[in-house]
Amino acid sequence: MPRNPRYDILFEPVRIGPVTALNRFYQTPHATGMGYLKPESGAKLRGIKAEGGWGVVCTEYCSIHPSSDDSPFGFLTLWDEDDIRALMPTVEAIHAYGSLAGVELWHGGSHANNRLTREPILAPSARPALIPQPGSARAMDKADIKAFRTWHRDAALRAKRAGFDIVYCYAGHDYLPFQFLSPRLNLRGDEYGGSLANRVRLLRELIEDTHEAVGDRCAVAVRLSVDELHGSRGITSQGEGREILAMLAELPDLWDVNVSGSLGNDSRSARFSDEGFQEEHVGFVKGLTTKPVVSVGRFTSPDSMVSQIRRGIQDFIGAARPSIADPFLPRKIDEGREDEIRECIGCNICRSANNEAVPLRCTQNPTIGEEWRRGWHPERIEEAASSSRVLVVGSGPAGLECALTLGRRGHRVMLAEAGRKLGGRINRESNLPGLASWVRVRDYRLHMIGKLPAIDLFPESRLSAEDILALEADHVVLATGSRWRRDGIGSLGEEAAELGAGAILTPDDVFAGAEISGPVLIYDDEHYAVGGALAEKLSKEGHQVHLATPAAMLSSWTVMTDEQFFIQKRLLELSVRPLISQRLTGAANGVAELACVYTGRIRRHEFGTLILVTGRVAEDSLYRDLTAMTGQWQAAGIRSVTRVGDCLAPSSIADAVHAGHRWAREFDRPPAEIAPRRERPIPA
């Protein structure tokens, strides 16, 4: 289909200093969890972004010197000539589709703990490390500042030799150049501290040094956090953030602006922000500079993108998470297929990957991070050598993705769902406060399934083992999901609680409409989204809510998704009362016994309703029935019966989608063709 003319503005070329971007789609720097240890994986991932139509494709953060080491997390390096050779394939992969390649030069200062290199931590002023550890950062003297400028210049020259088109001066996210800018972190009394003009001095010098070194061929970009979100204690978009822009307005070739204070502020989840949420902080920038401006805001709507350009908020549409969820977002808009965009749901599972020091993953896009390792492409998939008739039982995230992928490969699919509405757990969890965008996982797949005539949907079709035998399928995939445990066993609780009479529910009961009487006690030993979201829901409905957990903080795993601070803050604002480091040992007749995980001391807590948000168990009774009838289903012509997703191993929606995709993509291929590859060190 032809492109909708109202989106033409998004495909205009934009000049950035000595280079020109093909269009206004700008994949801003974002972590992949791969870093310098997985250069082939990183190159393949960035190349697919370029193939998908992003006019600019940037790397993750790239260390300029061993004194900035973020191990064990995945970061790049430009320390020496070997690093040039390692990064050249990434540049070539990006250039293969006419996109510009950007590199984000990085020094973490007191935000880099140097676990691997064991170099002393550097900072504008002596202070404890920003990420808690026994060590502290030392104040940089004049020789250190001079050396830092040399390291940055040398890294910029290496970037130029590697072939990059855009070289960043990175003054955001509490890293070293930003630490010099911030009055919270820069307590110096010399010409690099005190007044704003002095605190800006180092960034000005970095921009000038970089221009002198590479500006004849490379554009020089500045990534600046214009608001720390620390109020008057720090830089604000109405105060010094605006003044810094005015001071340096015409020095770089491009401004990449965002909010900071932490990465969690910039990559705020959909639970705590809407599309375009940074506009209130960055909207002033274009009024102060003639240079192109890019910012982010989890943009997925082409109309929102056009609005950003026409209203003069930015010249490019910056994206990290939307480019992960759909690397082909620009191309789909260009080809009139905007209805096929796999919209980011803002769950921040992508952030969890980097925070756990593993390659990127995504709830919406199961192929991200698998481009080199498994040879997966987000838009292309190997057609089946011969078509099979596959029955998929269950329409949750694993079942929907499995059915869609099988249909794309040319198989004939029957998708049976016991309930009236397809979507499984997505339907339930997306109704919790802040999680409405999660329904996109269901809606995207149902929309794409609707385009494939070989997939037949059968809602309200609860199947028995005997029913399955009569359906003449070649293969059966069971994606029947999971149910919440009723015994109190969770991630940290290894023993079942002694549970007696009374209103003791699981989230399944709440989702099914069970009556709730207060006061409510929620016991969260899952530590992800559901416990905190249920507490928020019930508090807003007027209940007094206590949230107990054996962890040392509420929703503790959401540290990985950069949400924990925001979740606990919101719950405290709603007067949800936390009971931390408390393990449920028993409950009956409206009284729960909670034991301190450290001392074992018991406290008793009265409740009207107790809700157990602990572990989940696979809903695999149908699989067990079929296993007992193996001879019969084999005689009926069924060649395989397989469990996928939560039916096999309960986990996140992201893992369920990945499991469904993987089975459908690989089930009829020889093992030798689907074994994942590993990158191994090669001697220089």
Side-chain angles (χ1 to χ4, degrees):
M1 293 176 60
R3 182 172 74 219
N4 189 320
R6 73 172 182 263
Y7 303 137
D8 286 350
I9 193 172
L10 300 174
F11 294 90
E12 295 174 347
V14 180
R15 188 156 186 83
I16 313 171
V19 297
T20 300
L22 291 170
N23 56 42
R24 297 183 185 270
F25 292 95
Y26 194 113
Q27 184 249 279
T28 52
H30 73 74
T32 64
M34 296 168 180
Y36 71 90
L37 291 175
K38 295 180 173 62
E40 293 184 273
S41 299
K44 189 70 172 176
L45 183 149
R46 302 296 180 188
I48 281 180
K49 299 281 195 78
E51 183 186 353
W54 297 89
V56 178
V57 178
C58 297
T59 68
E60 57 262 66
Y61 59 150
C62 183
S63 172
I64 63 172
H65 186 264
S67 59
S68 183
D69 159 37
D70 210 26
S71 299
F73 307 110
F75 64 100
L76 295 174
T77 52
L78 265 173
W79 298 349
D80 53 32
E81 296 301 308
D82 283 342
D83 288 328
I84 296 175
R85 289 190 288 272
L87 283 171
M88 286 176 68
T90 293
V91 174
E92 292 165 0
I94 296 169
H95 284 170
Y97 296 94
S99 304
L100 299 179
V103 60
E104 185 179 54
L105 301 186
W106 168 76
H107 197 293
S110 55
H111 219 298
N113 282 356
N114 300 341
R115 296 173 179 88
L116 180 65
T117 63
R118 303 190 73 172
E119 291 284 333
I121 302 171
L122 301 176
S125 306
R127 58 154 297 125
L130 283 170
I131 299 176
Q133 67 164 14
S136 296
R138 67 176 179 85
M140 296 169 68
D141 59 26
K142 298 289 182 58
D144 293 322
I145 292 174
K146 182 179 180 180
F148 169 66
R149 290 177 60 186
T150 299
W151 301 336
H152 196 279
R153 183 180 186 277
D154 290 346
L157 288 168
R158 293 187 189 107
K160 178 181 176 181
R161 293 201 296 277
F164 284 101
D165 307 289
I166 302 172
V167 177
Y168 267 77
C169 299
Y170 190 6
H173 298 130
D174 279 352
Y175 295 135
L176 185 58
F178 187 82
Q179 290 163 25
F180 272 86
L181 295 174
S182 173
R184 295 186 306 113
L185 303 172
N186 183 346
L187 307 178
R188 302 175 69 94
D190 62 6
E191 66 266 37
Y192 287 95
S195 69
L196 180 60
N198 282 354
R199 286 182 275 123
V200 169
R201 187 183 306 276
L202 180 60
L203 179 56
R204 181 188 296 274
E205 291 172 344
L206 287 183
I207 299 169
E208 292 171 344
D209 292 346
T210 308
H211 260 304
E212 181 183 349
V214 303
D216 59 321
R217 196 188 67 77
C218 302
V220 177
V222 171
R223 195 174 211 187
L224 177 69
S225 295
V226 297
D227 202 312
E228 295 183 79
L229 302 182
H230 285 299
S232 59
R233 295 189 302 121
I235 291 170
T236 68
S237 55
Q238 297 303 313
E240 289 190 341
R242 187 178 296 262
E243 293 177 52
I244 294 168
L245 252 299
M247 289 178 180
L248 305 176
E250 300 302 308
L251 277 185
D253 297 311
L254 175 135
W255 285 100
D256 180 343
V257 289
N258 58 18
V259 296
S260 186
S262 72
L263 284 167
N265 285 324
D266 185 23
S267 56
R268 197 170 296 184
S269 73
R271 191 169 174 180
F272 300 100
S273 66
D274 297 321
E275 183 178 18
F277 70 98
Q278 297 205 28
E279 181 179 331
E280 65 175 299
H281 300 290
V282 305
F284 73 90
V285 175
K286 271 192 63 61
L288 296 180
T289 180
T290 64
K291 301 303 176 73
V293 174
V294 62
S295 187
V296 294
R298 210 174 61 255
F299 296 106
T300 61
S301 163
D303 294 306
S304 296
M305 299 174 192
V306 169
S307 174
Q308 289 283 305
I309 305 301
R310 293 204 183 281
R311 291 187 295 112
I313 306 302
Q314 52 186 320
D315 300 282
F316 289 98
I317 299 302
R321 289 171 291 175
S323 76
I324 294 166
D326 198 335
F328 274 61
L329 183 152
R331 180 171 286 192
K332 289 177 180 178
I333 299 173
D334 192 27
E335 295 175 353
R337 297 187 293 124
E338 55 268 20
D339 65 306
E340 297 184 8
I341 293 172
R342 217 169 20 245
E343 292 184 281
C344 172
I345 69 171
C347 65
N348 278 12
I349 283 292
C350 55
R351 288 294 307 138
S352 76
N354 188 68
N355 289 331
E356 292 182 308
V358 297
L360 201 57
R361 70 192 92 157
C362 174
T363 299
Q364 278 283 59
N365 177 11
T367 70
I368 200 74
E370 304 284 12
E371 298 89 350
W372 182 85
R373 184 172 72 149
R374 297 188 189 274
W376 291 0
H377 190 282
E379 299 299 314
R380 294 195 300 271
I381 190 166
E382 183 182 78
E383 288 189 16
S386 61
S387 177
S388 296
R389 184 173 171 83
V390 184
L391 170 65
V392 179
V393 183
S395 70
L400 287 175
E401 178 64 27
C402 185
L404 174 59
T405 306
L406 288 166
R408 289 176 62 200
R409 295 194 59 208
H411 294 292
R412 294 164 294 147
V413 183
M414 299 176 288
L415 177 58
E417 164 59 41
R420 178 176 299 178
K421 192 173 182 180
L422 278 66
R425 64 181 286 192
I426 303 168
N427 298 332
R428 300 185 289 273
E429 293 174 33
S430 63
N431 281 319
L432 291 172
L435 306 186
S437 63
W438 290 21
V439 81
R440 293 174 173 178
V441 177
R442 178 199 72 195
D443 290 350
Y444 165 77
R445 284 158 181 81
L446 287 177
H447 178 70
M448 298 303 292
I449 284 172
K451 296 186 175 215
L452 296 172
I455 303 178
D456 293 317
L457 304 180
F458 298 95
E460 296 184 278
S461 299
R462 183 177 297 277
L463 301 181
S464 66
E466 289 76 13
D467 295 330
I468 289 173
L469 294 181
L471 287 174
E472 300 180 348
D474 299 315
H475 300 274
V476 176
V477 181
L478 301 177
T480 46
S482 62
R483 63 185 183 277
W484 289 91
R485 300 183 71 116
R486 295 185 177 275
D487 56 9
I489 293 177
S491 296
L492 300 179
E494 298 176 356
E495 297 178 2
E498 295 182 10
L499 303 175
I504 302 175
L505 309 178
T506 72
D508 292 325
D509 301 317
V510 179
F511 293 139
E515 182 178 347
I516 306 292
S517 59
V520 176
L521 173 62
I522 298 174
Y523 180 63
D524 182 8
D525 198 8
E526 187 220 16
H527 314 288
Y528 183 30
V530 172
L534 276 175
E536 181 177 346
K537 166 185 164 66
L538 295 174
S539 177
K540 287 178 175 177
E541 291 176 356
H543 294 286
Q544 181 187 94
V545 180
H546 284 76
L547 182 54
T549 177
M553 61 180 72
L554 302 182
S555 304
S556 61
W557 189 79
T558 62
V559 167
M560 297 301 170
T561 56
D562 294 338
E563 296 177 286
Q564 195 282 327
F565 173 87
F566 301 104
I567 292 172
Q568 188 151 336
K569 178 176 183 289
R570 176 168 291 178
L571 293 177
L572 293 175
E573 289 172 344
L574 290 170
S575 297
V576 172
R577 301 175 187 179
L579 301 170
I580 62 173
S581 302
Q582 300 293 318
R583 181 173 63 85
L584 180 70
T585 60
N589 301 314
V591 178
E593 288 192 347
L594 300 169
C596 173
V597 298
Y598 300 106
T599 66
R601 188 176 296 124
I602 297 291
R603 64 185 296 181
R604 289 172 175 80
H605 189 93
E606 293 185 357
F607 63 86
T609 305
L610 170 62
I611 303 174
L612 304 175
V613 186
T614 55
R616 287 180 289 129
V617 293
E619 185 56 78
D620 61 357
S621 58
L622 186 55
Y623 176 77
R624 286 184 274 109
D625 290 345
L626 286 168
T627 300
M629 303 167 61
T630 302
Q632 291 172 260
W633 59 254
Q634 288 176 338
I638 297 174
R639 285 180 270 166
S640 68
V641 174
T642 310
R643 293 171 291 171
V644 297
D646 288 355
C647 176
L648 177 64
S651 187
S652 65
I653 293 176
D655 285 342
V657 170
H658 185 274
H661 185 89
R662 181 180 173 188
W663 188 87
R665 194 157 196 147
E666 297 181 344
F667 89 97
D668 55 354
R669 296 176 58 196
E673 292 183 6
I674 62 176
R677 295 189 290 175
R678 291 175 293 158
E679 297 196 43
R680 294 175 172 84
I682 300 173

